[in-house]
Every structure is written in structure tokens, then in C-alpha cells.
Amino acid sequence: MRYIKKHAVFILFFAESLVLAFFQTLDNTDRLWNYVFAENIASGLLPYRDFNLLQTPLSCSINAIFLSLFGHHMLVINILGAVLFTCICMLLYQLCRTLGASKVTSMILPQVFLMLFCYNVFFEYSCLILFLQLVLLREDLAALREENRAFTRPAGQFFLGVTAGLTILCKQTYGLFVAGASWLCCLYVSRCLKKEKKETCVYLTARAAGILCPCLIFLTYLFLTGTFADFWDMAVAGTSTFSSKYSYITLAREKEGYLIACIGAPLLIVISLIIGLYKRKTLYGQTLLLICFYGLGGLINMYPMANAYHFSVTVIPFLLLIPALLPSALWKKKLLSLVGGAAVAALGCYLVFCIPYDTLDDHHLCTTLDQFEGIFIGASMEEDILTVTTYVREQEADGMTVYILDNRATSYFLPLHEYHKYYDMFLLGNLGTTSPGELLEEVCEGDVLFLIPNSERSEWQYPREAVNALKKELNLVGSVGDFEVYAAS
């Protein structure tokens, strides 16, 4: 009983995260893609050479390890995501406590985080970067408060640098800016602590060396496996083909709640920067500026897609400015604790009861599709996958090669244990520097069938022009599910 009481906060967050992870549905395309990446690695395929991957592969590789250990099922990455989300919640809780909030009110921000991501509880790169970003912020904040002796040791700085470097291995662009912010924050904290220039140089060198270490290991891996050219084509040069854009203004206009958030977040940041600069010689002002610096490093995540998900990931560190701005004495007020307790209870009830209720209302546990067992799925989606996979098996038994030109093609090919590089995620930005037309020409001969969505594709990245041009050269031979079937000959 004493153990449960001591770890009650952790147990609460873990229980909530597990509930959310278990009641995730197959509707989330990002979850599907992340699972495919991990499944490919676990099956022995090399990123970039054997399958198309836009980001650096750390999160996918971690998923692959657990798939190899516990079985090739999507449920594994959901449960692993619950562990990650619990760790993020605990970091947010600890940071709120450090910033002066009470035990009860410190639980509000983690609950808000779970609320924002309740339909995205799985192990993916954005939240892994967020976790590493919060670890770095916690350590530098402790150093600023002279509670972290490791900050003054080169070895401690090196390991903080390694942590920052790992963000680059999760997503090259997003991680690079977070790592850069970490290096600058090391300089800032050192100056705030009035360290000598020689000491500061040692800290900066050690942290920079730590950042470079994972990057050099990754580059060595690329050269040893002969996949550097594929990586460059897919994850560097190929990103120029990404055409979708979602502006901050568009997000603000989407819903009233988004409008409030899109106005409130910049105001919170500007106010914190003004107060922080005005009180820059005090711990209070330095704390505000340190949080802002780390948060600003993650703003790149909203370019070019400032949608709700990217906004939510980016805004989380800035929400720590709220407990940092308010005086600690206010958090100790009994009324605030009562209101905070009620908010935590209400959010907890919604997460544990309402989310599962919504899932159970129109989904059921999948038992018929290999690798999707234990995942909630809609009846129509399950029927569609079964229909299409049966058709594909029949055609392949007759010697045909089948390509599904749809961003959810993997949901059909995963139960078949098949993967077609480029074609199973046939979207602009996922195809490297090769044009969609050229890719289609490469396979548009012989005993080939193309399954093409029978309605105008709403996905922004869908290469409609190339697909429509392909239709003119092929013969329409039938339909299956939501697809028209075209034959190359």
C-alpha cells in the first residue's frame, strides 16, 4: 500500500496511457505508416534502400526491436507508446513541481497533454523528440537553479549532447533545431551561472561532441550499408517534392478552439519573453527565457504543416510558462488546489471512460487480419480489407503483380506480408526525387494490375495528374472494394 501511495502519480499516468493505447483504432494513417516502417526493419529490410522513409530512423528502429521481441503486431507499438506518454507526463509533472506548482495542480498539464494526444498514443518520432526535449530542459533548468552538478562536468555535458543528438536521429530537421537550441541553452545557462569563458568553452565543446556522436554513428551506418545515396535522395533532396502546406492562419480558422489557442500561445510567449528580458538578472527571468529558448527551437515542426497535431507537439513546452509565470504562493492557495483537483478528475474520467466509449460505439477488436489482431477496427474497414486482400491473393495466384495506388495501401499488404517500395505510400514527398510518372512507367508493363481509388482523391499529396495520365494508357477491367482495377495489358 505504501508503494502504491508513493508512486500514485506514475501509476495514474501509466493507467491512463494504457487505456488510451488499447483503445486506439486502425483509422490513424500515421500509426499505420510508423508500424510499417518498424515492421520492415524487423523483417530485415534496410531503410531508404528497401523502403521509403522520410525521417531519420531512430523511433522506427526502437519499434522494430520490440516487434522482434514481442511479436509483429501493431498493438506492440501502441503499448510502447503508452510507456513513452507516461514518461512525458512524469517529466511535465516534475517540471511543474520545480516551477512551483502544487502536487495536485502539477497534474493538470500532463492531463492536458494526454487530452491533446488521446487519439495518437503510439510510439512515433514527434513525441520521442518532445520527450528528449523535456529531458534536456529539466537538466538545464536544474543547472540554472544550481541543483545539477553534472552540468559542470564535461562527461555530464557530453551525455546531454548525446541526448540532443538523438533528436536528430528521430527527425533530421525538427531534431536539428532542438539540438541547436540545447547547445545555445548550454551557453545561456553557463553565462547565467557566471562561469569563466574557459569553463564555458569546455561545456560547449563537450555538448557539441555529444550531439555529433549519434550523427557520426548514423552516417557510418549509412556508408557501411551503402545506403547514403538512398538516404540523400529520400530524406534530403526528396523533401523538396513535398507540396502540401497548412498555414497557421488556416489552423486558426478551422475551429473556434483553435483560434483561441493560436492567439493565446503567441501572447503567452511574447509576455514571457518581455518579462524574462526585463528580469533577466533574476532566476525568475532566466527560467522564463530558458523555457522560451527550448520551445522556440521546436517551432520548425510547424513548417510547412501547421496542423493541429504539429501545433500540439510544439506548444507543450511553452505551456510550462504558465506555472513559471505565476508566483509559487498562488499555487498553494486551497481554492486553486480544489479547482485543480476537480480539473484533474474530470480530465481523467474523460480519458478513461469517454474515449473507450467512443471507440466501442462503432469499432470492435480485430481477429481476422494478421498483425492487426487486438486493434479496434470499424466493421466496414475490416470488410474492405478482407475483400481487397482476398482479391489480391487470387490475382497473385494467377501470376499477376498488384499495386494499390493509395496512401493506405499498406493496410491491405501488411496482412499479406508484402511491401512495394514507393507504391504502397504513393504520395508526393514519399517518392524521393523520382517523379510519380517515372515510377509508374517502370512497372507499367506485363502482368500488372493497378488498384486506383474510384473517387477523386482528397489527400493533398496524391499525385492526381500522374494517376489520371496512367488511366488513359490502361484498360479498366473491373472493381473491388473502393477501387477501380486497371490492367497494363
Short mmCIF file of all heavy atoms in Angstrom, two decimals, residues 146 151-152 189-200 203:
data_model
loop_
_atom_site.label_atom_id
_atom_site.label_comp_id
_atom_site.label_asym_id
_atom_site.label_seq_id
_atom_site.Cartn_x
_atom_site.Cartn_y
_atom_site.Cartn_z
N GLU A 146 21.19 25.60 -9.87
CA GLU A 146 22.36 25.04 -9.17
C GLU A 146 22.00 23.76 -8.41
O GLU A 146 22.48 23.52 -7.31
CB GLU A 146 22.98 26.08 -8.23
CG GLU A 146 23.45 27.33 -8.98
CD GLU A 146 24.18 28.31 -8.09
OE1 GLU A 146 25.39 28.15 -7.94
OE2 GLU A 146 23.50 29.22 -7.55
N PHE A 151 26.18 19.29 -14.67
CA PHE A 151 26.34 20.35 -15.66
C PHE A 151 27.77 20.85 -15.72
O PHE A 151 28.26 21.25 -16.78
CB PHE A 151 25.37 21.51 -15.33
CG PHE A 151 25.38 22.61 -16.35
CD1 PHE A 151 24.51 22.58 -17.44
CD2 PHE A 151 26.24 23.70 -16.24
CE1 PHE A 151 24.51 23.59 -18.39
CE2 PHE A 151 26.24 24.71 -17.19
CZ PHE A 151 25.37 24.65 -18.27
N THR A 152 28.46 20.84 -14.58
CA THR A 152 29.82 21.38 -14.51
C THR A 152 30.87 20.35 -14.89
O THR A 152 32.07 20.64 -14.86
CB THR A 152 30.11 21.89 -13.09
OG1 THR A 152 29.98 20.80 -12.15
CG2 THR A 152 29.14 23.00 -12.71
N VAL A 189 22.90 29.12 -19.93
CA VAL A 189 22.95 28.72 -18.52
C VAL A 189 24.33 29.00 -17.94
O VAL A 189 24.47 29.48 -16.81
CB VAL A 189 22.58 27.23 -18.36
CG1 VAL A 189 22.80 26.77 -16.92
CG2 VAL A 189 21.13 27.00 -18.76
N SER A 190 25.35 28.69 -18.72
CA SER A 190 26.72 28.93 -18.25
C SER A 190 26.96 30.41 -17.96
O SER A 190 27.58 30.77 -16.95
CB SER A 190 27.72 28.42 -19.30
OG SER A 190 29.05 28.63 -18.87
N ARG A 191 26.46 31.27 -18.83
CA ARG A 191 26.62 32.72 -18.61
C ARG A 191 25.80 33.19 -17.41
O ARG A 191 26.25 34.05 -16.65
CB ARG A 191 26.20 33.49 -19.87
CG ARG A 191 26.98 33.16 -21.14
CD ARG A 191 28.49 33.20 -20.92
NE ARG A 191 28.95 34.53 -20.56
CZ ARG A 191 30.10 34.78 -19.95
NH1 ARG A 191 30.91 33.78 -19.63
NH2 ARG A 191 30.45 36.02 -19.66
N CYS A 192 24.60 32.60 -17.25
CA CYS A 192 23.78 32.96 -16.09
C CYS A 192 24.46 32.58 -14.79
O CYS A 192 24.34 33.28 -13.77
CB CYS A 192 22.41 32.29 -16.18
SG CYS A 192 21.32 32.96 -17.43
N LEU A 193 25.17 31.46 -14.81
CA LEU A 193 25.89 30.99 -13.62
C LEU A 193 27.23 31.69 -13.45
O LEU A 193 27.99 31.37 -12.52
CB LEU A 193 26.10 29.47 -13.70
CG LEU A 193 24.83 28.62 -13.68
CD1 LEU A 193 25.17 27.15 -13.88
CD2 LEU A 193 24.06 28.81 -12.37
N LYS A 194 27.54 32.59 -14.40
CA LYS A 194 28.77 33.40 -14.36
C LYS A 194 30.02 32.53 -14.36
O LYS A 194 30.98 32.78 -13.62
CB LYS A 194 28.75 34.32 -13.14
CG LYS A 194 27.59 35.33 -13.18
CD LYS A 194 27.60 36.25 -11.98
CE LYS A 194 26.43 37.23 -12.06
NZ LYS A 194 26.37 38.15 -10.88
N LYS A 195 29.99 31.50 -15.20
CA LYS A 195 31.17 30.66 -15.36
C LYS A 195 32.22 31.41 -16.19
O LYS A 195 31.90 32.26 -17.02
CB LYS A 195 30.79 29.35 -16.06
CG LYS A 195 29.77 28.51 -15.32
CD LYS A 195 30.34 27.97 -14.02
CE LYS A 195 29.32 27.07 -13.31
NZ LYS A 195 29.85 26.55 -12.04
N GLU A 196 33.47 31.06 -15.97
CA GLU A 196 34.54 31.68 -16.74
C GLU A 196 34.48 31.24 -18.19
O GLU A 196 33.93 30.18 -18.52
CB GLU A 196 35.90 31.31 -16.13
CG GLU A 196 36.11 31.86 -14.73
CD GLU A 196 37.47 31.49 -14.18
OE1 GLU A 196 38.24 30.83 -14.90
OE2 GLU A 196 37.76 31.88 -13.03
N LYS A 197 35.06 32.04 -19.08
CA LYS A 197 35.00 31.74 -20.51
C LYS A 197 35.61 30.38 -20.83
O LYS A 197 35.11 29.65 -21.69
CB LYS A 197 35.71 32.84 -21.30
CG LYS A 197 34.96 34.17 -21.31
CD LYS A 197 35.67 35.18 -22.20
CE LYS A 197 34.88 36.50 -22.22
NZ LYS A 197 35.56 37.51 -23.09
N LYS A 198 36.69 30.04 -20.12
CA LYS A 198 37.34 28.76 -20.37
C LYS A 198 36.41 27.60 -20.02
O LYS A 198 36.29 26.63 -20.77
CB LYS A 198 38.62 28.67 -19.55
CG LYS A 198 39.42 27.40 -19.81
CD LYS A 198 40.71 27.40 -19.01
CE LYS A 198 41.50 26.11 -19.25
NZ LYS A 198 42.77 26.08 -18.48
N GLU A 199 35.72 27.72 -18.87
CA GLU A 199 34.77 26.69 -18.47
C GLU A 199 33.62 26.58 -19.46
O GLU A 199 33.20 25.49 -19.85
CB GLU A 199 34.22 27.00 -17.07
CG GLU A 199 35.17 26.77 -15.93
CD GLU A 199 34.51 27.09 -14.60
OE1 GLU A 199 34.25 28.29 -14.33
OE2 GLU A 199 34.24 26.15 -13.82
N THR A 200 33.12 27.74 -19.88
CA THR A 200 32.02 27.75 -20.84
C THR A 200 32.41 27.07 -22.14
O THR A 200 31.63 26.30 -22.71
CB THR A 200 31.58 29.20 -21.12
OG1 THR A 200 31.17 29.82 -19.89
CG2 THR A 200 30.43 29.24 -22.11
N TYR A 203 32.29 23.34 -21.66
CA TYR A 203 30.91 22.85 -21.67
C TYR A 203 30.36 22.76 -23.10
O TYR A 203 29.76 21.76 -23.50
CB TYR A 203 30.00 23.77 -20.85
CG TYR A 203 30.37 23.92 -19.40
CD1 TYR A 203 29.97 25.04 -18.68
CD2 TYR A 203 31.12 22.95 -18.74
CE1 TYR A 203 30.30 25.20 -17.34
CE2 TYR A 203 31.46 23.11 -17.41
CZ TYR A 203 31.06 24.24 -16.72
OH TYR A 203 31.39 24.38 -15.39
#
